[in-house]
Amino acid sequence: MSASTRALAHTAMVESIEVRDEWDREHDGPLDVYALCKDMGVKVRFVDIASMEGLYGRGRDGKAVIWLSSLRPMPRRNFSCAHELGHHVFCHGSTVDELVECVGTATKVFKPEEFLADTFAGFLLMPTLGVRKAFASRGWKAGTATPVQVYTVACHFGVGYDTLISHLLHSLEAIDPIRAAQLRKVGPKDIRHQVLGTPTPEPLVIADQHWGAPTVDMEVGTLLLLPEGSVVEGNVIAFQAEHPSGRLFRAVRPGVARVTCPGPEWAVFARVSRYQFVGFAEYRHFDQEEDDE
Amino acid sequence: MGENEKKAIIAARIREARIAAGLTQGQVAKMLGLHRPSVSEMEGGNRSVTVEELSKLAEAFDVSLSWLAGEGVDKVDVLDNQLQLAARELRKLKPGDLERLLKIIASMRGGRGPA
């Protein structure tokens, strides 16, 4: 990393800390980026556009909006939301015609604004203290963690497996390039296979008693592995099977369900949205009757 | 514009804005304290909508009240120099997606509903 990119990374990290401070978020746990956007007055809207990740806009009235593709995996949407929030925090922006003029031009150019927003997103979602705590509370170390352990911590922060590896490597410097390459040899598909004992195409969230947030967010179809003995109330999440590593559930309808685990007295709310939900983020977990459209 | 034509425009805009907001008829009914068939009838143009209801709907759908009430046109000017955007992926957008996105962007300006 060059001196100038290191300086940008430092700016991004400091700003992420300031945002957590200003909006009363703890520094050692995961963060609901959509709730943060709402508090900051930034409207988040999911749209079903396949060839985009996200977009930040600010109108002449100062109204700020983030548009995210609903067609990306949930962890990717979370990261994109934090990235676009970075543009908001750093007051980035071009006019529509300037951006349209860029369509079709080369993409492999280092853009400080994008690097800043990306690094901000990494530190906002995965703060240094939070990452340390996520590994340490489970008795793991980032430098020697197995792919399943890294995947579990990625679930903890609501980010993708590869996103956490990149953050550990580049931003936190908690692993070296060799370890990062070893971890990347095993993909999320392999990890799901290893954990569940069978090839599974659906996304899997692993939540344990060290889960740092009051909620577990999913969309219909997502699998949820909970600690042994966990009980889910209501009909939003359906039990699938007992596994050596816990109880497997599936999100089957939009809404909110309470999850309790009697042993370590752990409880959390599982929030489920429609599959590839289109609309405003604040409505994504509303209950929905079966024949309601 | 005749009364029936206006009613049809309002009905169509309520439906369009509700879907873009990610709400079902049942969820809107709950927000407004109505029964679900009432929302269905509003969207079918078979029930009058009060100003109070329209105002609540406009807030829930994040659109302007005047647009929801049938004023203005659906055509939007997609290029606006006063709108500031940050987009890393715009250049990767397929032509059809770019057009859709620009309409969505245009929808955030006053006097217009969802794209």
Side-chain angles (χ1 to χ4, degrees):
Chain A
M1 195 183 285
S2 71
S4 58
T5 49
R6 194 172 283 276
L8 280 174
H10 182 74
T11 303
M13 183 190 68
V14 169
E15 195 58 43
S16 74
I17 291 169
E18 285 178 5
V19 166
R20 280 200 177 230
D21 266 343
E22 188 180 347
W23 298 97
D24 211 18
R25 263 61 176 184
E26 300 290 337
H27 291 279
D28 62 354
L31 174 143
D32 178 347
V33 69
Y34 307 104
L36 177 64
C37 285
K38 192 177 178 189
D39 288 355
M40 292 175 73
V42 181
K43 199 96 180 164
V44 179
R45 188 172 154 184
F46 297 97
V47 292
D48 53 350
I49 293 181
S51 59
M52 78 165 217
E53 289 277 353
L55 176 70
Y56 165 70
R58 192 173 57 249
R60 71 188 86 178
D61 54 358
K63 185 176 168 184
V65 182
I66 289 172
W67 294 277
L68 299 171
S69 175
S70 62
L71 307 178
R72 293 279 177 276
M74 273 191 73
R76 189 72 215 161
R77 280 176 245 165
N78 298 341
F79 190 85
S80 290
C81 188
H83 172 102
E84 303 306 337
L85 187 65
H87 287 309
H88 174 73
V89 166
F90 291 109
C91 301
H92 294 162
S94 309
T95 57
V96 177
D97 50 356
E98 281 169 357
L99 288 166
V100 171
E101 276 173 20
C102 293
V103 173
T105 59
T107 59
K108 298 283 180 192
V109 179
F110 177 78
K111 291 185 119 187
E113 287 190 356
E114 296 305 323
F115 177 80
L116 198 57
D118 250 353
T119 313
F120 169 84
F123 279 114
L124 183 72
L125 296 178
M126 301 167 279
T128 310
L129 283 177
V131 173
R132 275 189 207 147
K133 187 178 170 187
F135 281 102
S137 64
R138 294 172 170 90
W140 306 335
K141 285 181 182 170
T144 55
T146 66
V148 173
Q149 290 170 347
V150 171
Y151 184 92
T152 304
V153 172
C155 292
H156 177 105
F157 289 106
V159 299
Y161 173 71
D162 196 62
T163 303
L164 177 59
I165 294 171
S166 292
H167 189 61
L168 290 171
L169 172 66
H170 299 295
S171 299
L172 302 182
E173 297 177 347
I175 58 173
D176 60 33
I178 295 168
R179 185 66 197 139
Q182 287 168 342
L183 288 169
R184 282 183 172 131
K185 274 186 188 165
V186 186
K189 204 166 75 174
D190 307 312
I191 294 168
R192 289 197 298 269
H193 191 163
Q194 188 184 331
V195 171
L196 301 177
T198 177
T200 311
E202 295 95 338
L204 169 71
V205 174
I206 302 174
D208 57 18
Q209 62 269 36
H210 303 290
W211 191 263
T215 53
V216 180
D217 289 350
M218 292 168 290
E219 61 185 349
V220 169
T222 303
L223 296 171
L224 174 64
L225 187 66
L226 292 168
E228 198 181 332
S230 295
V231 177
V232 176
E233 295 168 8
N235 56 4
V236 167
I237 311 269
F239 174 70
Q240 297 291 288
E242 298 285 357
H243 277 270
S245 43
R247 303 194 84 203
L248 185 68
F249 293 82
R250 181 189 298 272
V252 291
R253 57 192 298 168
V256 180
R258 189 163 180 266
V259 175
T260 53
C261 185
E265 292 185 356
W266 172 69
V268 73
F269 286 100
R271 303 190 299 185
V272 179
S273 68
R274 292 199 289 269
Y275 178 64
Q276 296 184 339
F277 172 82
V278 169
F280 292 116
E282 64 211 76
Y283 299 148
R284 69 198 191 282
H285 302 129
F286 277 13
D287 286 327
Q288 187 180 341
E289 301 291 327
E290 253 173 46
D291 59 342
D292 187 21
E293 292 176 357
Chain B
M1 190 190 299
E3 191 62 30
N4 283 344
E5 197 184 343
K6 183 136 188 171
K7 216 171 179 178
I9 289 172
I10 293 172
R13 288 185 179 181
I14 290 174
R15 182 174 172 78
E16 182 190 348
R18 173 183 63 75
I19 292 168
L23 291 165
T24 63
Q25 290 183 343
Q27 290 164 346
V28 171
K30 201 181 270 185
M31 289 167 98
L32 266 64
L34 299 170
H35 294 294
R36 206 166 101 197
S38 300
V39 178
S40 176
E41 284 169 12
M42 278 181 196
E43 293 185 0
N46 302 319
R47 177 191 183 280
S48 296
V49 190
T50 66
V51 174
E52 194 191 349
E53 285 168 345
L54 265 184
S55 175
K56 284 182 183 171
L57 289 171
E59 197 179 327
F61 302 156
D62 196 36
V63 295
S64 74
L65 177 57
S66 60
W67 179 81
L68 202 60
E71 289 165 24
V73 289
D74 286 332
K75 192 166 178 259
V76 291
D77 173 20
V78 294
L79 298 180
D80 182 346
N81 285 330
Q82 293 186 56
L83 183 72
Q84 294 289 308
L85 294 166
R88 66 193 142 146
E89 300 291 332
L90 208 58
R91 67 192 56 173
K92 291 182 186 169
L93 284 171
K94 292 175 185 164
D97 285 350
L98 178 64
E99 196 177 325
R100 270 199 66 207
L101 181 63
L102 289 175
K103 282 183 182 167
I104 288 168
I105 291 166
S107 76
M108 79 177 278
R109 275 165 274 158
R112 170 70 177 117

